[in-house]
């Protein structure tokens, strides 16, 4: 979730995980066959996401009233898988181009300010690239690894509540795997670890340079194939692993966490597939708590 409101809520002494209260990666994007990079060729994936939250949880898991957030995103992903092999794995590359709209409303009970604060913005988000993905395939398993690079191309202005871009680079090593034990079952997971660089134009009042902590997160899915359909459970888990730093000083008590789960359905048709899932967040700390609706379209050229 992009940065959006840190500058306002800091005055209310509300702890927020990482600068802006979210991570660079949109949790829940992947599900069934997450570890299965396709055969050599060209592929297009369109992710459509709608996230809505009207709760914010503090470090104790209690509600902080007066917060509303809506984020809508259309993310275009282009994948090229070569026929070249490195360490026995096929070499691939990809790029994500996100288009994001955000609307945030903060009541006086949330900020301590005398009036309601609103802001909404839409723009290109932070582009993601990975020029070196490797994937391996077995009789009943698939695996892949790479390092996604988040480029700070998104709109960012410290005077705004809603910021689509995070204004710093993130490097995200990835390990993804899919296990197919038989009888149509699919067990998949994508594990990621985010290493954030420093934001030299911090949105935090009184702070010039801010570095968000390192973050572990994973998407997962368990399902069963029934003809052209796969149905099951999907979700994600996120946990901030290290403290933030504000002008070189550690910020304690604001590490974020969240878990989510919900129903997922996928339909395969010829050289394309469509999937839909609705995920509910729980066990939240220092972050918004809401619901995540995902639609994904995959096309093989």
């Amino acid at each position: 979730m992009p940065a959006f409101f840190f500058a306002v809520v800091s005055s209310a002494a509300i702890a927020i995980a990482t600068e802006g209260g979210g991570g660079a990666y949109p949790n829940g994007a992947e599900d069934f066959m997450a570890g299965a990079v396709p055969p050599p060729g060209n592929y297009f994936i369109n992710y459509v996401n709608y996230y809505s939250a009207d709760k914010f949880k503090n470090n104790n898991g209690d509600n902080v009233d007066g917060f509303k957030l809506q984020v809508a995103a259309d993310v275009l992903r282009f994948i090229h898988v070569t026929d070249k092999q490195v360490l026995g794995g096929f070499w691939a590359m990809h790029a994500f181009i996100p288009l994001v709209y955000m609307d945030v409303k903060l009541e006086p009970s949330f900020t301590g300010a005398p009036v309601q604060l609103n802001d909404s913005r839409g723009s290109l988000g932070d582009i993601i690239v990975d020029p070196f993905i490797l994937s391996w395939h077995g009789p009943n398993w698939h695996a892949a690894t790479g390092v996604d690079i988040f480029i700070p191309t998104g709109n960012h202005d410290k005077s705004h509540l809603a910021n689509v871009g995070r204004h710093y680079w993130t490097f995200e090593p990835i390990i993804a795997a899919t296990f197919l034990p038989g009888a149509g079952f699919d067990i998949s997971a994508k594990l990621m670890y985010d290493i954030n660089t420093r934001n030299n134009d911090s949105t935090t009042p009184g702070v010039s340079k801010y570095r968000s902590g390192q973050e572990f997160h994973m998407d997962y899915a368990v399902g069963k194939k029934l003809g052209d359909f796969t149905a099951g459970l999907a979700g994600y888990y996120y946990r901030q692993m290290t403290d933030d730093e504000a002008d070189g000083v550690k910020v304690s008590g604001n590490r974020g966490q969240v878990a989510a789960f919900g129903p997922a359905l996928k339909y395969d048709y010829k050289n394309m597939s469509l999937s839909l899932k609705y995920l509910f967040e729980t066990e939240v700390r220092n972050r918004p708590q809401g619901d995540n609706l995902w639609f994904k379209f995959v096309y093989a050229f």
Side-chain angles (χ1 to χ4, degrees):
M1 186 186 309
F4 50 89
F5 58 88
F6 196 102
V8 175
V9 301
S10 294
S11 61
I14 297 170
I16 298 175
T18 69
E19 187 175 29
Y25 177 80
N27 290 313
E30 303 301 343
D31 43 70
F32 304 121
M33 301 294 287
V37 176
N42 296 304
Y43 303 87
F44 169 71
I45 303 179
N46 188 16
Y47 304 84
V48 178
N49 174 231
Y50 176 72
Y51 177 83
S52 176
D54 59 4
K55 297 178 182 178
F56 190 95
K57 298 289 187 176
N58 64 17
N59 199 44
N60 297 319
D62 299 324
N63 281 337
V64 181
D65 295 330
F67 170 85
K68 288 186 179 180
L69 171 69
Q70 296 181 80
V71 180
D74 186 11
V75 183
L76 312 177
R77 180 184 180 189
F78 303 91
I79 307 171
H80 175 63
V81 184
T82 75
D83 58 2
K84 307 285 192 301
Q85 288 187 283
V86 179
L87 301 175
F90 284 97
W91 170 34
M93 59 197 73
H94 68 190
F96 296 77
I97 301 175
L99 305 172
V100 184
Y101 172 80
M102 181 182 299
D103 181 86
V104 59
K105 294 181 175 63
L106 306 180
E107 301 287 346
S109 57
F110 188 81
T111 63
V115 295
Q116 177 177 291
L117 301 174
N118 303 333
D119 193 20
S120 60
R121 302 178 88 187
S123 79
L124 173 71
D126 290 345
I127 291 173
I128 310 166
V129 298
D130 188 342
F132 196 75
I133 302 166
L134 292 179
S135 63
W136 298 266
H137 310 275
N140 64 341
W141 61 269
H142 305 275
T145 189
V147 179
D148 279 355
I149 302 168
F150 292 72
I151 305 170
T153 53
N155 199 309
H156 178 275
D157 186 336
K158 66 167 67 175
S159 66
H160 281 262
L161 293 176
N163 275 311
V164 171
R166 299 189 66 82
H167 204 249
Y168 55 80
W169 294 70
T170 296
F171 298 90
E172 183 182 79
I174 293 167
I175 297 175
T178 291
F179 178 51
L180 306 170
F185 284 101
D186 175 339
I187 303 171
S188 292
K190 178 183 178 183
L191 284 69
M192 297 154 279
Y193 194 88
D194 292 8
I195 302 168
N196 301 305
T197 62
R198 188 172 58 193
N199 181 0
N200 291 321
D201 189 24
S202 174
T203 57
T204 307
V207 176
S208 61
K209 298 177 181 179
Y210 198 100
R211 182 167 183 168
S212 296
Q214 298 178 11
E215 306 156 272
F216 167 79
H217 49 109
M218 64 177 290
D219 294 345
Y220 67 87
V222 178
K224 179 175 173 58
K225 192 170 181 61
L226 304 166
D228 293 328
F229 290 90
T230 302
L233 180 75
Y236 52 87
Y237 175 77
Y238 166 97
R239 188 177 183 89
Q240 186 177 341
M241 304 303 294
T242 66
D243 291 334
D244 297 351
E245 292 183 6
D247 286 335
V249 178
K250 289 189 179 296
V251 180
S252 61
N254 77 325
R255 294 192 189 185
Q257 72 173 48
V258 62
F261 64 93
L265 182 67
K266 176 186 173 187
Y267 174 65
D268 296 305
Y269 178 74
K270 295 183 178 179
N271 62 332
M272 64 188 75
S273 70
L274 302 94
S275 63
L276 183 69
K277 59 194 168 207
Y278 196 88
L279 308 178
F280 307 88
E281 293 187 327
T282 184
E283 298 300 320
V284 180
R285 298 291 185 274
N286 299 316
R287 291 170 58 99
Q289 177 177 333
D291 299 333
N292 231 327
L293 176 65
W294 280 99
F295 171 79
K296 181 167 66 175
F297 170 71
V298 180
Y299 185 85
F301 290 95

